[in-house]
Amino acid sequence: MAIGRMPMISSISEQALEESSRSTHTARALMELREKILSGDYPGGTRLFEVPLAETLQISRTPVREVMSRLSEEGLLDRLPNGGFAVRSFTYADAVDSIELRGVLEGTAMRLAAERGVSQEGLERLHALLGRLDACFSEDFGEVDLEAYSSLNSAFHALVVKLSGSTVIRREIERATRLPFASPSAFLSGRAHVAAFRQSLHIAQDQHRSIVSAITAREGARAESLGREHARIARKNLEYAVHEAPELIQTVPGLVLLSS
């Protein structure tokens, strides 16, 4: 009887491998198209057609539709009334509102973490991340390990949200930060040479310490206020890039999608 089952097992195995391969190709195509949009290869308002896009990404039309649907959910594409998708354009106000929304949501998460209380293990993890963030700064005020700081900063924000204990808030923050210029590390990677951004990191790190202090002391209102103020750093960096150093727009993910 075991011999009789072998063809079925082989068939299932082949099907699993095929599905895994398809999933890998779709994930690669998703990353590639997202990067092309964020880098400005497809300007805002560009309509995307399945056939040429499938050829560009070297996948079939079915996963292309899946990829475009995913990017529509992320907010990078608009679904057109008559079918198909177009690259979304954003106004400066859209970018500001996205950052403000993240600040409101993260502030709420920090208040909940403080009011509900965080376990000793959770506090230790927060302090450990804080210490690793501190280590990104050298004694020379202008020297910062941007790559490490960017990764650890994202981890810090994610942990604080997780410690709120609210899956609803966490889900909404994930939705709000899908737009790249709204993420906590939007203005970090690769911009160590920008003095205004370097200075903002020191302010942000001071706020990280205050946030951990407020959560530890279970000061909900203070934690929420700090969370909202913390997001304002990204807004100030956005204002600087758009109004004082527009050449930076080409280097910050997603800012090329801003319409005038």
Side-chain angles (χ1 to χ4, degrees):
M1 293 180 66
I3 295 176
R5 291 197 191 97
M6 287 181 64
M8 181 179 295
I9 293 174
S10 176
S11 176
I12 293 174
S13 177
E14 290 174 1
Q15 182 180 358
L17 286 173
E18 184 178 343
E19 290 177 354
S20 176
S21 177
R22 187 184 304 115
S23 177
T24 300
H25 287 310
T26 301
R28 177 194 57 77
L30 177 65
M31 293 176 61
E32 185 176 343
L33 182 55
R34 184 190 291 120
E35 178 60 29
K36 286 180 178 296
I37 292 171
L38 297 180
S39 64
D41 288 358
Y42 297 110
T46 302
R47 180 165 183 179
L48 300 179
F49 296 93
E50 288 182 11
V51 174
L53 196 56
E55 293 175 353
T56 299
L57 300 176
Q58 298 182 337
I59 57 175
S60 64
R61 293 175 62 180
T62 299
V64 161
R65 286 193 290 271
E66 181 181 345
V67 164
M68 289 195 289
S69 293
R70 286 278 300 277
L71 292 178
S72 175
E73 292 172 4
E74 292 183 12
L76 291 178
L77 297 181
D78 280 329
R79 194 182 294 269
L80 300 175
N82 58 343
F85 296 86
V87 178
R88 185 178 173 191
S89 294
F90 299 89
T91 65
Y92 175 74
D94 289 334
V96 170
D97 290 348
S98 298
I99 293 171
E100 290 288 343
L101 176 60
R102 174 170 65 82
V104 170
L105 292 170
E106 287 190 335
T108 302
M110 292 171 189
R111 175 175 59 80
L112 292 176
E115 292 178 349
R116 293 173 175 177
V118 174
S119 68
Q120 185 61 36
E121 179 187 1
L123 292 176
E124 289 174 359
R125 291 176 64 190
L126 272 178
H127 282 282
L129 271 175
L130 200 57
R132 293 175 66 189
L133 282 163
D134 279 331
C136 293
F137 296 85
S138 70
E139 294 182 2
D140 183 347
F141 184 83
E143 293 297 322
V144 184
D145 185 343
L146 258 294
E147 184 176 350
Y149 186 93
S150 178
S151 176
L152 291 168
N153 182 62
S154 296
F156 179 88
H157 281 254
L159 178 57
V160 169
V161 172
K162 181 179 180 180
L163 293 177
S164 72
S166 173
T167 56
V168 172
I169 294 296
R170 182 172 62 184
R171 184 165 53 248
E172 292 308 311
I173 289 176
E174 289 174 353
R175 189 195 308 274
T177 55
R178 281 174 181 165
L179 298 177
F181 44 71
S183 73
S185 297
F187 297 88
L188 298 182
S189 181
R191 279 162 286 283
H193 65 286
V194 183
F197 290 172
R198 287 202 308 272
Q199 182 179 4
S200 74
L201 294 181
H202 291 269
I203 298 172
Q205 185 61 2
D206 283 339
Q207 291 178 341
H208 286 155
R209 297 188 193 98
S210 297
I211 288 167
V212 173
S213 173
I215 290 175
T216 302
R218 303 190 69 167
E219 298 171 337
R222 178 171 172 243
E224 181 171 21
S225 177
L226 285 165
R228 294 191 178 197
E229 186 63 28
H230 188 54
R232 286 297 183 94
I233 291 179
R235 176 170 177 172
K236 289 178 181 177
N237 285 337
L238 171 68
E239 292 170 350
Y240 177 83
V242 172
H243 299 303
E244 298 185 46
E247 68 276 6
L248 293 175
I249 290 176
Q250 299 299 320
T251 70
V252 178
L255 288 192
V256 293
L257 297 177
L258 296 187
S259 59
S260 57

